[in-house]
Amino acid sequence: MLPVWLPDPITSDLDRALHYTLLWGLEGLVLRTVGKRADRVPHVNEPRLKRRLSEHDLPAVAADPGLFEQPAAERGAWMNDLVLLDEALAFCTRVGCSRVLVGALPGESDVAADALRRAGERAARRGCILAVRNEPGGRPTGEALAALLADIDHPAVRACWSPADALEAGEEPEVGLDALAGQIEIVTVRDGRREGGGWQPATLGEGAVGWPDVLRGLHAHGFDGPLCLDLRDASSPKDGLRAATALIQMARAAIRGNG
């Protein structure tokens, strides 16, 4: 399992992101905004990005261009996203990134499946994987995402699983893991607990997700892909260091079998 992170909740500055990646012992990045806050992939300074990643010997494990997040009923929106996906896939090919993270097109399942199957065909032609997120407002649980993936039925369309988002929606992590076993491409890592009908963020490893058990389960199912630290709830880089350290320790313990 590869501990990586999504930098832009902390910084969109590439040099700072690379500095923190190395300082915290992480092994790669997920790209979303790089440079100015409006610089969303693939519309970033690509030559500089490629050069700096190469200089630091760090991979971009995935890109999140913000596609397929509108309701499935909005046909014009997802048809336009299919066109934009080609540009994102070409970018990924050039920077050596094999995954594109996308939304799950909330709403009509048959329409969403058709759209994402078409997207998967485009990804496959580029040798890439489309990783579909479970998230509030879309397909919030692992079971819901697994049902969508079954409808899509394409090898280039897999899961970007967030146990915390699923737990926030009421699904226990082991249920989502069982539903998605063998289909998980990348895991989003954050922690928290349901309290008073809402969600309370927590320090990684101290919330209700039960990350040691989740990581053991992932390892038992043969998952060895990226674990992407999501610092949306962090207040400072120090929080990032603590979370990264916890993630690395828990992942190593899970692989050793004593997590």
Side-chain angles (χ1 to χ4, degrees):
M1 291 184 280
L2 188 74
V4 303
W5 73 310
L6 175 68
D8 57 47
I10 296 295
T11 180
S12 60
D13 180 87
L14 179 59
D15 287 329
R16 285 173 60 85
L18 293 168
H19 169 73
Y20 289 138
T21 305
L22 296 172
L23 180 67
W24 297 347
L26 298 172
E27 299 179 44
L29 302 89
V30 171
L31 304 175
R32 187 165 63 186
T33 57
V34 182
K36 298 178 181 177
R37 282 292 175 183
D39 293 345
R40 182 80 176 251
V41 294
H43 305 294
V44 300
N45 185 335
E46 187 178 316
R48 182 171 183 270
L49 172 64
K50 291 172 64 177
R51 183 175 66 252
R52 299 297 280 145
L53 288 172
S54 176
E55 288 170 354
H56 288 81
D57 195 25
L58 287 170
V61 301
D64 182 355
L67 303 178
F68 304 105
E69 297 174 350
Q70 301 301 313
E74 296 184 13
R75 179 180 174 83
W78 63 256
M79 288 291 288
N80 185 60
D81 282 351
L82 283 173
V83 175
L84 296 176
L85 176 62
D86 288 332
E87 188 175 0
L89 289 167
F91 165 82
C92 285
T93 300
R94 292 192 298 268
V95 302
C97 171
S98 61
R99 303 172 184 90
V100 178
L101 309 186
V102 298
L105 282 172
E108 304 170 43
S109 295
D110 55 341
V111 176
D114 177 59
L116 291 170
R117 191 181 305 111
R118 296 191 202 186
E121 292 284 355
R122 293 173 185 235
R125 288 197 291 269
R126 289 279 189 174
C128 292
I129 294 292
L130 216 63
V132 184
R133 296 187 297 265
N134 67 290
E135 56 192 354
R139 320 282 167 183
T141 65
E143 286 188 318
L145 181 56
L148 177 64
L149 293 177
D151 289 341
I152 295 168
D153 191 25
H154 195 288
V157 185
R158 291 169 56 80
C160 173
W161 181 45
S162 172
D165 282 302
L167 181 62
E168 187 173 353
E171 180 186 72
E172 294 299 321
E174 61 268 23
V175 174
L177 179 56
D178 287 343
L180 289 168
Q183 302 179 84
I184 299 171
E185 183 69 19
I186 183 170
V187 177
T188 299
V189 180
R190 65 185 186 99
D191 213 340
R193 58 179 58 86
R194 300 173 72 196
E195 287 186 359
W199 178 258
Q200 181 62 43
T203 300
L204 185 62
E206 298 179 10
V209 174
W211 276 104
D213 288 337
V214 170
L215 294 170
R216 281 196 299 269
L218 285 164
H219 181 60
H221 281 290
F223 175 79
D224 63 356
L227 302 168
C228 179
L229 191 61
D230 182 339
L231 298 174
R232 72 182 77 173
D233 303 314
S235 58
S236 73
K238 289 183 179 180
D239 293 336
L241 173 59
R242 285 191 290 269
T245 301
L247 174 58
I248 292 166
Q249 291 176 344
M250 288 189 293
R252 288 174 177 170
I255 292 169
R256 290 197 304 266
N258 60 351

